[in-house]
């Protein structure tokens, strides 16, 4: 059930991000990238960093360096969401362990 809630949260967040109108500039992109890096660090601290989060942040930084600030903000928000969801997922699974049938 918790995996369903995580996926539903990710979908909802994704839809919210695509529906918002953007007119970004460099400071906005830089702030979004910083927030994404912070969320990535928090997820990594609990062992919940998702595989692609770092690559998404790198793509956001590249877009920002090329002056594509709207794209950079969108990618950074995606990475931030991945960081938050990764941390949440890891925290929900602390102490869950393997199924008992693996130990027979």
């Amino acid at each position: 059930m918790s995996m369903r809630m995580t996926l539903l949260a990710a979908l909802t967040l994704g839809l919210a991000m695509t529906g918002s109108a953007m007119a970004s500039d460099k400071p906005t992109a830089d702030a979004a990238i910083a927030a994404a890096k912070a969320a990535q660090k928090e997820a990594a601290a609990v062992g919940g960093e998702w595989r692609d989060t770092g690559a998404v942040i790198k793509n956001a930084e590249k877009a920002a360096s090329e002056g594509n600030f709207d794209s950079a903000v969108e990618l950074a928000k995606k990475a931030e969401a991945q960081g938050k969801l990764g941390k949440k997922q890891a925290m929900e699974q602390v102490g869950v362990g393997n199924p008992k049938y693996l130990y027979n």
Side-chain angles (χ1 to χ4, degrees), residues 19-87:
S20 62
M22 288 198 247
S24 301
D25 54 8
K26 182 167 177 30
T28 303
D30 289 343
I33 291 169
K37 286 181 178 181
Q40 177 190 29
K41 185 175 181 179
E42 287 181 22
V46 295
E49 182 178 353
W50 287 2
R51 179 193 67 205
D52 296 335
T53 304
V56 175
I57 291 172
K58 285 182 183 179
N59 289 335
E61 291 173 329
K62 182 180 178 192
S65 71
E66 294 172 350
N68 299 326
F69 302 121
D70 288 342
S71 179
V73 169
E74 183 178 339
L75 289 166
K77 285 184 179 183
K78 178 180 177 181
E80 182 182 9
Q82 287 181 358
K84 289 178 179 181
L85 291 170
K87 179 182 177 184

